[in-house]
Short mmCIF file of all heavy atoms in Angstrom, two decimals:
data_model
loop_
_atom_site.label_atom_id
_atom_site.label_comp_id
_atom_site.label_asym_id
_atom_site.label_seq_id
_atom_site.Cartn_x
_atom_site.Cartn_y
_atom_site.Cartn_z
N LYS A 125 -84.03 -15.80 127.02
CA LYS A 125 -84.21 -17.25 126.88
C LYS A 125 -84.67 -17.66 125.48
O LYS A 125 -84.37 -18.77 125.05
CB LYS A 125 -85.19 -17.75 127.93
CG LYS A 125 -84.62 -17.63 129.32
CD LYS A 125 -85.54 -18.13 130.39
CE LYS A 125 -84.81 -17.92 131.69
NZ LYS A 125 -85.43 -18.18 132.86
N THR A 126 -85.39 -16.79 124.80
CA THR A 126 -85.91 -17.15 123.48
C THR A 126 -85.51 -16.12 122.43
O THR A 126 -85.20 -14.96 122.75
CB THR A 126 -87.45 -17.25 123.50
OG1 THR A 126 -87.99 -15.93 123.69
CG2 THR A 126 -87.95 -18.20 124.58
N SER A 127 -85.57 -16.55 121.19
CA SER A 127 -85.28 -15.65 120.07
C SER A 127 -86.32 -14.53 120.00
O SER A 127 -85.98 -13.38 119.72
CB SER A 127 -85.26 -16.44 118.76
OG SER A 127 -84.29 -17.46 118.83
N ASP A 128 -87.57 -14.87 120.27
CA ASP A 128 -88.63 -13.85 120.28
C ASP A 128 -88.32 -12.78 121.32
O ASP A 128 -88.49 -11.58 121.07
CB ASP A 128 -90.00 -14.47 120.58
CG ASP A 128 -90.55 -15.24 119.40
OD1 ASP A 128 -90.36 -14.81 118.24
OD2 ASP A 128 -91.19 -16.29 119.63
N ALA A 129 -87.88 -13.19 122.50
CA ALA A 129 -87.61 -12.25 123.58
C ALA A 129 -86.48 -11.28 123.22
O ALA A 129 -86.58 -10.08 123.47
CB ALA A 129 -87.28 -13.00 124.87
N VAL A 130 -85.41 -11.80 122.60
CA VAL A 130 -84.31 -10.91 122.23
C VAL A 130 -84.75 -9.95 121.12
O VAL A 130 -84.38 -8.77 121.12
CB VAL A 130 -83.02 -11.67 121.87
CG1 VAL A 130 -83.07 -12.30 120.49
CG2 VAL A 130 -81.80 -10.77 121.99
N MET A 131 -85.56 -10.42 120.18
CA MET A 131 -86.04 -9.53 119.12
C MET A 131 -86.93 -8.43 119.68
O MET A 131 -86.82 -7.26 119.28
CB MET A 131 -86.81 -10.33 118.06
CG MET A 131 -85.94 -10.91 116.98
SD MET A 131 -85.03 -9.69 116.02
CE MET A 131 -86.35 -8.90 115.12
N ILE A 132 -87.81 -8.78 120.61
CA ILE A 132 -88.67 -7.77 121.23
C ILE A 132 -87.81 -6.71 121.91
O ILE A 132 -88.05 -5.50 121.78
CB ILE A 132 -89.65 -8.43 122.22
CG1 ILE A 132 -90.70 -9.24 121.44
CG2 ILE A 132 -90.32 -7.40 123.12
CD1 ILE A 132 -91.53 -10.18 122.31
N ALA A 133 -86.77 -7.15 122.63
CA ALA A 133 -85.89 -6.20 123.32
C ALA A 133 -85.13 -5.32 122.33
O ALA A 133 -85.04 -4.10 122.52
CB ALA A 133 -84.91 -6.96 124.21
N TRP A 134 -84.59 -5.92 121.27
CA TRP A 134 -83.85 -5.14 120.29
C TRP A 134 -84.76 -4.14 119.58
O TRP A 134 -84.36 -3.00 119.34
CB TRP A 134 -83.19 -6.06 119.26
CG TRP A 134 -81.89 -6.68 119.73
CD1 TRP A 134 -81.09 -6.25 120.75
CD2 TRP A 134 -81.24 -7.82 119.19
NE1 TRP A 134 -79.98 -7.05 120.88
CE2 TRP A 134 -80.05 -8.03 119.91
CE3 TRP A 134 -81.55 -8.69 118.14
CZ2 TRP A 134 -79.17 -9.07 119.64
CZ3 TRP A 134 -80.66 -9.72 117.87
CH2 TRP A 134 -79.49 -9.91 118.61
N LEU A 135 -85.98 -4.53 119.25
CA LEU A 135 -86.89 -3.61 118.58
C LEU A 135 -87.38 -2.50 119.50
O LEU A 135 -87.77 -1.43 119.04
CB LEU A 135 -88.06 -4.37 117.95
CG LEU A 135 -87.68 -5.27 116.77
CD1 LEU A 135 -88.88 -6.10 116.32
CD2 LEU A 135 -87.10 -4.46 115.61
N ALA A 136 -87.35 -2.74 120.80
CA ALA A 136 -87.75 -1.72 121.78
C ALA A 136 -86.63 -0.70 122.02
O ALA A 136 -86.86 0.36 122.60
CB ALA A 136 -88.15 -2.38 123.09
N SER A 137 -85.43 -1.02 121.57
CA SER A 137 -84.27 -0.14 121.74
C SER A 137 -84.02 0.61 120.43
O SER A 137 -83.84 -0.01 119.38
CB SER A 137 -83.04 -0.98 122.10
OG SER A 137 -81.85 -0.26 121.87
N LYS A 138 -83.98 1.92 120.51
CA LYS A 138 -83.82 2.75 119.31
C LYS A 138 -82.57 2.36 118.51
O LYS A 138 -82.63 2.17 117.29
CB LYS A 138 -83.75 4.23 119.71
CG LYS A 138 -83.64 5.18 118.54
CD LYS A 138 -83.56 6.62 119.01
CE LYS A 138 -82.12 6.92 119.31
NZ LYS A 138 -81.76 8.28 119.52
N ASP A 139 -81.44 2.20 119.17
CA ASP A 139 -80.19 1.91 118.46
C ASP A 139 -80.16 0.49 117.89
O ASP A 139 -79.68 0.28 116.78
CB ASP A 139 -78.98 2.13 119.37
CG ASP A 139 -78.78 3.61 119.67
OD1 ASP A 139 -79.18 4.46 118.84
OD2 ASP A 139 -78.21 3.93 120.73
N HIS A 140 -80.67 -0.47 118.64
CA HIS A 140 -80.71 -1.85 118.13
C HIS A 140 -81.68 -1.95 116.94
O HIS A 140 -81.38 -2.61 115.94
CB HIS A 140 -81.11 -2.83 119.24
CG HIS A 140 -80.07 -2.96 120.31
ND1 HIS A 140 -80.17 -2.27 121.50
CD2 HIS A 140 -78.94 -3.68 120.36
CE1 HIS A 140 -79.11 -2.57 122.24
NE2 HIS A 140 -78.35 -3.43 121.58
N LYS A 141 -82.81 -1.30 117.08
CA LYS A 141 -83.80 -1.31 115.99
C LYS A 141 -83.22 -0.66 114.74
O LYS A 141 -83.44 -1.13 113.62
CB LYS A 141 -85.07 -0.58 116.45
CG LYS A 141 -86.17 -0.59 115.42
CD LYS A 141 -87.42 0.10 115.96
CE LYS A 141 -88.53 0.06 114.94
NZ LYS A 141 -89.76 0.67 115.44
N LYS A 142 -82.45 0.40 114.94
CA LYS A 142 -81.82 1.10 113.81
C LYS A 142 -80.91 0.14 113.03
O LYS A 142 -80.89 0.17 111.80
CB LYS A 142 -81.02 2.29 114.33
CG LYS A 142 -80.38 3.14 113.27
CD LYS A 142 -79.66 4.32 113.90
CE LYS A 142 -78.90 5.09 112.86
NZ LYS A 142 -78.11 6.17 113.48
N ASN A 143 -80.20 -0.73 113.73
CA ASN A 143 -79.36 -1.72 113.03
C ASN A 143 -80.22 -2.73 112.29
O ASN A 143 -79.95 -3.06 111.14
CB ASN A 143 -78.43 -2.44 114.01
CG ASN A 143 -77.19 -1.64 114.34
OD1 ASN A 143 -76.78 -0.78 113.59
ND2 ASN A 143 -76.60 -1.94 115.47
N ILE A 144 -81.25 -3.24 112.94
CA ILE A 144 -82.11 -4.24 112.31
C ILE A 144 -82.77 -3.67 111.05
O ILE A 144 -82.90 -4.36 110.04
CB ILE A 144 -83.16 -4.76 113.31
CG1 ILE A 144 -82.47 -5.60 114.39
CG2 ILE A 144 -84.24 -5.57 112.61
CD1 ILE A 144 -83.35 -5.96 115.58
N GLU A 145 -83.16 -2.42 111.11
CA GLU A 145 -83.85 -1.79 109.99
C GLU A 145 -82.91 -0.97 109.10
O GLU A 145 -83.36 -0.27 108.19
CB GLU A 145 -84.97 -0.88 110.52
CG GLU A 145 -86.04 -1.66 111.27
CD GLU A 145 -87.13 -0.77 111.86
OE1 GLU A 145 -87.02 0.48 111.78
OE2 GLU A 145 -88.09 -1.34 112.41
N GLY A 146 -81.62 -1.07 109.34
CA GLY A 146 -80.63 -0.24 108.66
C GLY A 146 -80.39 -0.60 107.20
O GLY A 146 -80.89 -1.61 106.69
N ASP A 147 -79.59 0.22 106.57
CA ASP A 147 -79.24 0.06 105.15
C ASP A 147 -78.13 -0.98 105.02
O ASP A 147 -76.99 -0.67 104.65
CB ASP A 147 -78.80 1.41 104.58
CG ASP A 147 -78.52 1.34 103.08
OD1 ASP A 147 -79.06 0.43 102.41
OD2 ASP A 147 -77.75 2.19 102.59
N TYR A 148 -78.47 -2.20 105.37
CA TYR A 148 -77.53 -3.31 105.30
C TYR A 148 -78.03 -4.33 104.27
O TYR A 148 -79.21 -4.37 103.95
CB TYR A 148 -77.38 -3.99 106.66
CG TYR A 148 -76.79 -3.07 107.71
CD1 TYR A 148 -77.57 -2.59 108.76
CD2 TYR A 148 -75.45 -2.69 107.66
CE1 TYR A 148 -77.03 -1.75 109.72
CE2 TYR A 148 -74.91 -1.84 108.61
CZ TYR A 148 -75.69 -1.38 109.65
OH TYR A 148 -75.15 -0.55 110.59
#
Side-chain angles (χ1 to χ4, degrees):
K125 293 181 180 175
T126 68
S127 302
D128 286 323
V130 77
M131 273 299 291
I132 290 167
W134 279 341
L135 292 174
S137 162
K138 183 181 85 168
D139 290 333
H140 292 99
K141 183 177 181 178
K142 183 178 174 185
N143 279 337
I144 291 169
E145 297 177 355
D147 184 23
Y148 296 109

